[in-house]
Amino acid sequence: MTRLSGQNLLLRGYVVLVFVFVFTPIVTSFVFSVNSDRFPTIPLGHFTTHWYETIFADPDIWEAFRVSALVSVSVATLATFIGFCTAYTDYRYNFTGKALYLSLALLPPTIPLVIMGLAMLALLARINMSGQIHSIVVSHVVLCAPFAMAVVRMRLAQINPDLEPAAWNLGASPWRAMREVIIPFCRPAIASAFCLTAAVSFDEFAVAWFVSGLNKTVPVMILEILQGNTDPQINAIGSIVFAISMSLVVIAQLIFFRKASAPTTTGI
Amino acid sequence: MPNTSEARPLVSFEGVTKHYGTVAAVHAMDLDIYAGEFLALMGPSGCGKTTSLRMLAGLEEPTEGEIRLDGKRINEIDSADRDTPMVWQSLALFPFLSVRQNVEFGLKMRKIPSGDRQQRAMEWLERLEIADLAERDISQLSGGQRQRVALARSLVTEPRILLLDEPLSALDANLVVKMQGVLSRLQKELGITFVYVTHSQSEAFAMSDRVVIMSQGRIEQIGSPKTIYRNPTSRFVADFVGSNNIFCGTVSKEGATLQVNTSVGCFSCSPDNDENSFPMGSTLNMVISSDLVQISLTTPEAANQVRCRFISEEFVGSIVTVFAELENGADFKVQVRQRDLADLGLKAGAVFYASWKATDVHLISESA
């Protein structure tokens, strides 16, 4: 018994260490974002919201947030739609070359981001589409759709395969069955995929840096400020970005797992 | 039961074949189903019974042949436009809808206005005695309650035919008996056709007017439960019914009473209701139903008797099935009343005599 609890303690300690390792840089960044000193040194100065005030006063940063928000909402919408269609095709149909279809559909996140960014820039420049907001959207959709597909696929794996034919049998056309059965069943996954892809897009730096041109997203902006000098504004922006994308990811998890474990909550 | 020669069938299968790749799931099936009958499709798994039902529901398309509903070819008609609702083995209730919304589904697809829809759904829920569960989630229901929701959902559109694919297979034994009663009563009250797929003989025999026995994609026999039970036309059916003792033999004496030589002895057979004639020397299967056998401790007077050794018994209420072994090691089953067995005081290992009347034997030619 004592040995067991000893082991238990060790495991708990290990988990705590892992979290410390993961979150220290973020916490540090947050701490210095409310620290009055210009340089990140210890001992700390006094508490201040000065750096937040300066970034909120800066129209360039507002513009970057606007671009990021626009991009991530557009990307989330498109990527979730494409991901859903891809996952449904996989669920519903059998065809030759399905394995190839699946591996191609899941491929983009495995490509190194720099390569992807370069390739996107080369392609978009050739067709006169680079340096605009929609160039970022297109590139991010490519990157994010596989995540949406994976989430929807996980949900479709839980569906009773008789549900859709049962709807046909009760008089639903294929489109109607999709609307009345497949989409309601996948709703938690669709919402979750939307949040997740929005978060991935909001965070993404490398590809955006290549294709964004003058329409900087927040991560691109951060790099530009960093290249100039060490400015505690970075910590403030970083904390905000972290808060937004973590909220999206947490919401995605909550929606998916709450609904998935109890798929029959009341009310539609 | 409708008169098969006069009434026009509601559904007919004409030479229907279904191939999956090179495998024939259903082979050249001819079957007429009449309005108002309770028809069971029965057979071991993989015999093609579910495929036949799915073809009728429009969920599979026949490779060859024609399926007609009311005389009209329906091969190419979508499931949605057939009005052949099905009760699924998995029930396939929509987990994200309430009980009432599930029942309303078919009406909603037919664009019935919401007030009307709700009223009709509630009527069916009342009829199936689950009106108080209308606003519940499916996950909150018991197996029997779900069954009733599935039935209400299929019947709410008032179809002429209801297809049932092993709907009771997930229920406890006592609930199965109860639901059988519900189904039988419903079918009689509504007067609509039920096509019921099952591998369970007791379900098929308890409820249906006619039973279709299938094996390897072909129909083996069609008949009333009693016909299937007493007059199986093939060794497969006699075996599938499960309560028969079957011995292969050759005719050693012709006439009104045949003499049949088998590996367990020579028996006289004068079946009442067999039309087949068996010439001298022909091989046949002699079927002795286990409920037509008498047992005794001493040698009986009867001409047809075998000496058995008691192996085990299976107790199902008032009737007991005794599993015994003959002198050559062949199995032999006898069904007796539990109190008759108790009176004889038979125990495992004991020797007893089984006998039967020559008229109770059923003969099947070897080719069948």
Side-chain angles (χ1 to χ4, degrees), chain A residues 160 162-174 176-177 180-182 184-185 263-268, chain B residues 54 57 59 79-80 84-86 88 90 92-97 101 105-106 108-111 137 139 153-154:
Chain A
N160 171 354
D162 291 340
L163 284 192
E164 201 182 14
W168 301 336
N169 182 244
L170 289 165
S173 67
R176 198 75 201 269
E180 301 281 346
V181 174
I182 300 291
F185 186 86
T264 52
T265 44
T266 28
I268 292 281
Chain B
R54 291 177 65 95
L59 300 166
S79 186
T84 50
M86 178 153 141
W88 301 69
S90 69
L93 297 173
F94 302 123
F96 42 84
L97 299 180
Q101 287 168 324
F105 194 91
K108 195 175 169 190
M109 296 306 114
R110 282 165 183 74
K111 302 190 171 62
D137 283 333
S139 60
R153 186 180 70 172
S154 303

Side-chain angles (χ1 to χ4, degrees), chain A residues 80 84 147-159 179-197 248-268, chain B residues 95-97:
Chain A
T80 303
F84 173 81
F147 291 107
M149 180 204 174
V151 172
V152 177
R153 253 182 113 207
M154 263 165 74
R155 181 68 177 151
L156 280 173
Q158 299 167 343
I159 199 171
R179 216 171 74 215
E180 301 281 346
V181 174
I182 300 291
I183 291 177
F185 186 86
C186 289
R187 195 166 287 150
I190 291 170
S192 172
F194 186 91
C195 294
L196 195 69
T197 48
L248 286 170
V249 172
V250 169
I251 292 169
Q253 298 274 327
L254 283 180
I255 295 171
F256 190 78
F257 286 105
R258 182 172 57 98
K259 297 269 178 142
S261 56
T264 52
T265 44
T266 28
I268 292 281
Chain B
F96 42 84
L97 299 180

Side-chain angles (χ1 to χ4, degrees), chain A residues 78-128:
Chain A
L78 288 170
T80 303
F81 175 74
I82 294 171
F84 173 81
C85 294
T86 323
Y88 180 76
T89 307
D90 165 47
Y91 161 75
R92 183 77 190 76
Y93 301 101
N94 265 320
F95 46 90
T96 35
K98 188 169 169 180
L100 184 71
Y101 163 83
L102 276 180
S103 45
L104 282 177
L106 289 166
L107 187 69
T110 64
I111 300 170
L113 289 173
V114 175
I115 309 278
M116 173 87 114
L118 260 174
M120 278 293 174
L121 179 61
L123 174 73
L124 293 170
R126 189 158 295 230
I127 58 174
N128 260 334

